[in-house]
Amino acid sequence: MDPFGDLTRALTAPAGAPAGPTQPDLRREERKGVPEVVLAASKTGPHLAGAVRAFLDGRDRAIVSRLSPDQAALLHESFLDAVIEEYGHGRTMVLRRAAWTPPLPGGRVGVITAGTSDVPVAEEAAVVAREMGCQVDSAYDVGVAGIHRLFGPLREMVERSVDVMIVAAGMDGALPSVVAGLVDVPVIGLPTSVGYGMGGAGVAALMTMLQSCAPGLVVVNIDNGVGAGATAGLLARRAAEARGELPPRRPG
Amino acid sequence: MDPFGDLTRALTAPAGAPAGPTQPDLRREERKGVPEVVLAASKTGPHLAGAVRAFLDGRDRAIVSRLSPDQAALLHESFLDAVIEEYGHGRTMVLRRAAWTPPLPGGRVGVITAGTSDVPVAEEAAVVAREMGCQVDSAYDVGVAGIHRLFGPLREMVERSVDVMIVAAGMDGALPSVVAGLVDVPVIGLPTSVGYGMGGAGVAALMTMLQSCAPGLVVVNIDNGVGAGATAGLLARRAAEARGELPPRRPG
Amino acid sequence: MDPFGDLTRALTAPAGAPAGPTQPDLRREERKGVPEVVLAASKTGPHLAGAVRAFLDGRDRAIVSRLSPDQAALLHESFLDAVIEEYGHGRTMVLRRAAWTPPLPGGRVGVITAGTSDVPVAEEAAVVAREMGCQVDSAYDVGVAGIHRLFGPLREMVERSVDVMIVAAGMDGALPSVVAGLVDVPVIGLPTSVGYGMGGAGVAALMTMLQSCAPGLVVVNIDNGVGAGATAGLLARRAAEARGELPPRRPG
Amino acid sequence: MDPFGDLTRALTAPAGAPAGPTQPDLRREERKGVPEVVLAASKTGPHLAGAVRAFLDGRDRAIVSRLSPDQAALLHESFLDAVIEEYGHGRTMVLRRAAWTPPLPGGRVGVITAGTSDVPVAEEAAVVAREMGCQVDSAYDVGVAGIHRLFGPLREMVERSVDVMIVAAGMDGALPSVVAGLVDVPVIGLPTSVGYGMGGAGVAALMTMLQSCAPGLVVVNIDNGVGAGATAGLLARRAAEARGELPPRRPG
Amino acid sequence: MDPFGDLTRALTAPAGAPAGPTQPDLRREERKGVPEVVLAASKTGPHLAGAVRAFLDGRDRAIVSRLSPDQAALLHESFLDAVIEEYGHGRTMVLRRAAWTPPLPGGRVGVITAGTSDVPVAEEAAVVAREMGCQVDSAYDVGVAGIHRLFGPLREMVERSVDVMIVAAGMDGALPSVVAGLVDVPVIGLPTSVGYGMGGAGVAALMTMLQSCAPGLVVVNIDNGVGAGATAGLLARRAAEARGELPPRRPG
Amino acid sequence: MDPFGDLTRALTAPAGAPAGPTQPDLRREERKGVPEVVLAASKTGPHLAGAVRAFLDGRDRAIVSRLSPDQAALLHESFLDAVIEEYGHGRTMVLRRAAWTPPLPGGRVGVITAGTSDVPVAEEAAVVAREMGCQVDSAYDVGVAGIHRLFGPLREMVERSVDVMIVAAGMDGALPSVVAGLVDVPVIGLPTSVGYGMGGAGVAALMTMLQSCAPGLVVVNIDNGVGAGATAGLLARRAAEARGELPPRRPG
Amino acid sequence: MDPFGDLTRALTAPAGAPAGPTQPDLRREERKGVPEVVLAASKTGPHLAGAVRAFLDGRDRAIVSRLSPDQAALLHESFLDAVIEEYGHGRTMVLRRAAWTPPLPGGRVGVITAGTSDVPVAEEAAVVAREMGCQVDSAYDVGVAGIHRLFGPLREMVERSVDVMIVAAGMDGALPSVVAGLVDVPVIGLPTSVGYGMGGAGVAALMTMLQSCAPGLVVVNIDNGVGAGATAGLLARRAAEARGELPPRRPG
Amino acid sequence: MDPFGDLTRALTAPAGAPAGPTQPDLRREERKGVPEVVLAASKTGPHLAGAVRAFLDGRDRAIVSRLSPDQAALLHESFLDAVIEEYGHGRTMVLRRAAWTPPLPGGRVGVITAGTSDVPVAEEAAVVAREMGCQVDSAYDVGVAGIHRLFGPLREMVERSVDVMIVAAGMDGALPSVVAGLVDVPVIGLPTSVGYGMGGAGVAALMTMLQSCAPGLVVVNIDNGVGAGATAGLLARRAAEARGELPPRRPG
């Protein structure tokens, strides 16, 4: 695939009709290798349903995140012809039509959380990686206030050769630093908006991850499970391609 | 000692002369059990020397912190009659006259740092605790980026029954949370102004300590080694009194 | 008790099943000497009830904080077999089964608030200290806007030899500095999210406590009554052990 | 005097030459009753000397603040024909020619500082009030870390019937709240840029003053001694006018 | 009245019962000359009604601010025996019993707002000043976006010799600087939480007032109408005393 | 028109009645060339309806922004005699009476958004420009995450010779920099409050626009569609006047 | 000129050598109509001289801003063959070779400052506009603390029909709002880093400008005189083109 | 290599001597696959030289970053026996002894900067990746203000199959979003502390990267070239291992 193709065509084409009100990026999955996720957060019911329908019609699958319970109920009512899976206490939803073809499996991602409140955001990341075809291993509620709970699951992930780890943490956000100091795979710090008072809402968690001395730790924004999952998926898929488990996206 | 005595006298005394330009609190050590420390940071040479002399004359010892190299040199020149000790790369200095009487020994404080850059602030805390009569155990450069270095020294401090631990950390500031999750003595988190970019100058370190879920962790302000040492000293001295190693400060 | 025991076992054990979705830390009370408190704030009804049941079943007592009125009602309905106490206008709740054994009494904590709005957070701290076995003395609404109300209660607490004081204040947060300047026991500043405009929501209160010159003042995060109570309890219990009022937690 | 006179004239006059590069407001003292103060801080030597000369020539007196030692030396060299007074460790300077006529005396201002580091800013305020004709009473280094030092001087100021108090404080900034809770004259909180770490550089001091519950406390910006002195002077002069000690500025 | 009397008594009295849960300051009006205002904002219905009743019973009048519509309705239902006045779209309420004695009239306060959204906070200030016995002149919606609307009302206030002006402004908060540059009475800048985006919720308004070069401008916190009104009242009452319109509060 | 006329009249007129509670600026359109927009956001139903009626009665048209659905419904019910248009998902509304006379057409404004969530704010800007008589070209959802969608619409706007472009963007806010680097007409960056976590609510978008190196880019506050539209309209109308498409507002 | 030409060529050209270490944009003046300005601030001597030489060689003129005195001296020494002009106390410098051809004159820009400290940044803006061929009218030191100084110069600029005004202000930053409320040309608010304490360094000035209700006010970042001048120049040049004073940049 | 080996040994070993003052982590390269970099920024001359010597002696190579010119000179004088390379205008230095063995080559990293001021930080990243054995392609000064300069170099990197891209940008920080929207390899956003005013010092750059919608973009802290280079190196090395270009670090 040639990522510059669209650009060249747009620039060399004659000036046509102006862009309409929305420009659904149905082809992002081909261009970037990452599926687009519908963010439900600020959408009205009809807009949300319309966006989901566009993806179901175009790609036989829609991934929706940051759903309120009312929005989730609306989707259940509106898409009786789709199979619906819920993750992270209903924050994230995947809808599939029968015609959907899963990606070739390949790549392995570890997902760890410091506390139980970090799970919904971590699941959002896990869903995105899984929908890209990765296998996801997870261990939840293993933060530094009781660090003895961490080592067993961490050792296992290392032994299973995950290609990358996502470590979600709110409050003090200390866990990604500890993990990145122990393992030699890249770690994506995923701060969550858990916490209160000074440094609350994920600010302390994000800052402490940015300040970490542990090499190999990169971060995404607070609660950006989609971004963490997409990058982890990209990394793991490339590793799987390199190992020959997957055909290359761009033929050499 | 009656901490309310001064107050009652002040309020019931007739109105006298207004307060002069400075009110050196030479008696704070009796009232609070904590020696006053001269902060060199914003003082001119003559003011600094004057303050040091007041303490040397009044108490046969002066503790000075946040010294620049020039200020340190000035004190060496000005107080040839005093024995001078330097700590923390010269940031902290203790000057003593021969007449000085050390406090009765009692109480045990552990001091830990995440990195070598945290040592000057940690030493400031250690000096204050030691000048109060505590024994200080220390372990430096044992932060979470290489957490395997932590456990040995920590185990030892626990086995030696320190009454309280001071854990100094800049950058990600994650170490106090990890320590407070492992030990059952009170931990004083001492953030240092080490770090850069977002959350730098100790902000991330302070915030992550404030957000910690580990019970038994309290904090002081960034670089406030004096405050950490004074509180640790108060705690350890009270424990030593209770154990009968020291006579009580306030007779029952 | 050996705080490193769990850790060693975890690390030397063969890699087993990955950690499940939640890891209730029912043994924290043994390891740290501090009971775990269930934070109701972001929990759904079923999750809250489940967490409470786990503690009631495992320890015959559950402490719950940051309860909404609806959550409080739910717990009353769900746990008819438990004795339920409410504190701080219902923000904090203790549920007990008949089999519960109180800790040996020992240690004394003073709790002071600047205003009436600070009481719910202060009560949260008092509950935690009391559940650890401490006696709690309190004086509420004695802030600096009418400082004459402070001195009587403060004098009394000093005369009763409290081991540590918790001083809760929102708005200007000035009271902990004043108290720490007067007494010679450690003071834990507990900022509350009372206040509005610039420095509101507890920010000014926290900052002024961090900036205090009064030695012996340490702080916890805004509204962190649990943390203040746990640390105060740790301090007071250690003092009581040292005085021989309690058997030591770690046999020498 | 008619404060709207200039404005009306400006608006009804024909359009003339555009404003030149600087517009020295030599007549502000008549219009507002407050002398203009030259801020040395960001001025080059020639600009500073020029501004001082304009005031000496126009009003036989110049008040200069935020002077560096080099700038102070320059003024000493440049104005051999003026009598020069220095205040606040040289931060503030008053230069007078022989022809200078002092204002009629009237009004009384109290100036209090929490620490010795707050004195230079407090002196700046005192100078401005004094140059307006007020008597200034002062008490320095009486902050809340040793609150017993406060009550004597405060009682005296009240007994001497000051019209207004300026209370300067850095670090925790708690003193103005305490004072405003005790006295029934207006209090101007003057935060100073003393402090470090979180809330340093006067931020915590300003915020705690803004959050104070004590009625009758108003504030100026950090280190704004000129503003505090000018407002205090305005208040005290008006009171003196009302008491008949001074003729009214605006004839009825 | 001797503001230090209470304090002396408190300190010299034997230690008595600890302070109870609330300490209503019914005597603040005598001590400070400013009535206490009940802040409804964070109170439950029963607490609010209780506080109002305490003031009605003790002083025959209660002033309540930051009322929600529901709270206002509750007070109307609960205090059928009181005359109730509402101000600022119901944000502020005064309840009076027949036995209430108004203060002697004296002092004059000007209240100006930049926009209509600033009126509720300005009215809160006006109520407090009026309840202290001051006459209040007001002019609303005269901000700098149409500065021609300002000059007429301002000129009138100056001609009526107000003792002090309160200038309320949200958004850009520029009006107090303009006013303080024109008049020679003290100006209290009252920032309101009107505004959005960067600098919204009153932050820009407060900051611009703190940065003003206009002498004689002091500020209170965002939305602190009570504080602005109380200080303005104190100033105006002192001026009225000095003019002989009122007897002095503290006999010489 | 003489913008100083009102001002001169106000200042030279005798002092009359003080300003009433609201000062509707119905003549701003003549004075400034920009219609006033009613901000519905913090208005009660009756206040909103009253403001709309004042503009309908005075100018036969009212523009209302930041409407909630309830407020929109109220206006539909209250103004049956007006033609009502809705924009930006109902956030902005224009009500017209039959007597309304449209402005002479002239000036051309381009409006671009990065995402679909930016559309309501962009439409607010477009409405204001259109009501001033400008033609508005728009292209939505052409942000940098799929930059190939941008070039076609941008090229067209340039070829149609828009006088100014408004570029609305939330989240990363990168689009205005890219556009201003490509075109040679002035660009107004309009940050929207779309985004979450660190830099959310439009903060990152505003900051990145302020930091842009692209010459010709100026900004307004977050979500200030009215301001962006008014300035764009002013620019475009002046250009149309200069081209002779419109008569000049101020006769030479 | 076709702004998309470069882009199309770049994209359709075969992949060549990677970009070298610097990419001087000598053709920006053609593409954007705005000359590039060399920012001296973070450059070493050799880098600065190299950049200046590139512009002198390529365009016979170099504009340099944010010069330190040492850097200015270096340029005087290094470019003996150029005519050098200095502006804004040496902050900005224009170097010309004899071959330089001035742009056709056209467009009129007004530049106003609140204080004298704002002049260097305002001059930076004036230089850029003048180098683009605009006539610049200026009035300095006419801020709101003495607003009577403003009206004369402002009236004159309006009568001279400036196309746009730049209003520079630090401290309270209130002047742009006042000006934009009075005139009907677009106003570019230029906040300067003058000020101290809370809201200092230009933060309050920027925020108050962003919050202004005055239509037609847009802003640039703190101290961004180059950006303000470039945008003002673009606006004024377009107006001059439209008036037929200049040939169009893009033939229709 | 077993990353848990050290940990297990530490925990099961008997308590030995406490940790000394510094704990150089010479074995991090084995454990993590990333060389440790000496940060010169806050080190005194002797400490810096000591740290460099430790790495030269232990590993025959030392990498030093954030060097001042004085520090660089010191190292040249102190290590005459080493070959010294300088990068990024001397900010970063590599010292080698003859015995040094380069790593096996493998992995490919692209490094792009928006401006020339971002080059020193980008070079820091490039050095780290190169010392890990990666090939580094770079393109500098291709930011969005002249976006046509970007596409050629970007296309080339894609065609050369880099495994990961580092995109360094200060000021508006918009470039990483644009790049991540175009390519399908992971992108590490590296904000630099270039910029001034609101959002300066890299804050806007970091925030806009965190807010990016482009999938596959992760970030490190401002100026953290070492972290970006280390993570990029880890990624590229893993890809090279997977392709069979390198032997695996952990034998399966």
Side-chain angles (χ1 to χ4, degrees), chain G residues 17-31:
Chain G
T22 69
Q23 311 277 350
D25 196 359
L26 296 174
R27 286 166 52 202
R28 199 217 260 172
E29 195 152 3
E30 278 81 17
R31 204 174 68 249

Side-chain angles (χ1 to χ4, degrees), chain G residues 155-182:
Chain G
R155 173 189 293 249
E156 249 184 282
M157 285 188 190
V158 170
E159 287 172 5
R160 288 181 183 173
S161 287
V162 296
D163 294 303
V164 58
M165 286 187 195
I166 296 169
V167 185
M171 299 293 295
D172 58 29
L175 188 60
S177 284
V178 171
V179 170
L182 288 169

Side-chain angles (χ1 to χ4, degrees), chain A residues 90-128:
Chain A
R91 175 187 165 98
T92 305
M93 199 178 262
V94 183
L95 304 92
R96 283 184 232 277
R97 291 247 174 82
W100 177 72
T101 315
L104 292 179
R108 192 151 198 166
V109 174
V111 176
I112 295 173
T113 77
T116 54
S117 307
D118 307 317
V119 170
V121 173
E123 293 265 298
E124 186 182 289
V127 164
V128 172

Side-chain angles (χ1 to χ4, degrees), chain G residues 41-107:
Chain G
S42 61
K43 290 204 167 53
T44 62
H47 284 119
L48 174 59
V52 168
R53 190 172 310 280
F55 279 94
L56 274 180
D57 290 350
R59 310 203 61 92
D60 295 319
R61 182 199 58 196
I63 313 175
V64 195
S65 188
R66 308 208 176 193
L67 281 157
S68 69
D70 284 358
Q71 289 175 316
L74 173 75
L75 295 188
H76 278 290
E77 286 164 27
S78 307
F79 296 98
L80 299 173
D81 60 333
V83 176
I84 299 182
E85 306 155 22
E86 293 197 354
Y87 299 93
H89 309 173
R91 175 187 165 97
T92 305
M93 199 179 262
V94 182
L95 303 94
R96 285 184 229 279
R97 290 245 174 84
W100 177 71
T101 316
L104 291 178

Side-chain angles (χ1 to χ4, degrees), chain C residues 103-118:
Chain C
L104 290 179
R108 191 150 198 165
V109 175
V111 176
I112 295 174
T113 78
T116 54
S117 306
D118 308 316

Side-chain angles (χ1 to χ4, degrees), chain A residues 4 29 39 70-71 83 95 115 118 124 131 134 144 149-150 156 161 168 170 176 178 187 189 195 215 224 244:
Chain A
F4 291 98
E29 196 153 2
L39 291 182
D70 285 357
Q71 289 176 317
V83 176
L95 304 92
D118 307 317
E124 186 182 289
E131 293 299 311
C134 299
V144 300
R149 299 174 297 189
L150 169 67
E156 250 184 279
S161 287
V178 172
V187 176
N224 188 5

Side-chain angles (χ1 to χ4, degrees), chain B residues 142-165:
Chain B
V142 294
V144 301
I147 205 171
H148 58 286
R149 299 174 296 187
L150 169 67
F151 297 105
L154 194 60
R155 174 189 291 250
E156 252 186 276
M157 284 191 192
V158 170
E159 288 171 5
R160 288 179 183 176
S161 286
V162 297
D163 294 302
V164 56
M165 286 188 195

Side-chain angles (χ1 to χ4, degrees), chain B residues 18-24, chain D residues 89 113 115-117 119 123 138-142:
Chain B
T22 70
Q23 312 275 352
Chain D
H89 308 173
T113 76
T116 54
S117 306
V119 170
E123 292 265 297
S138 60
Y140 295 155
D141 199 16
V142 295

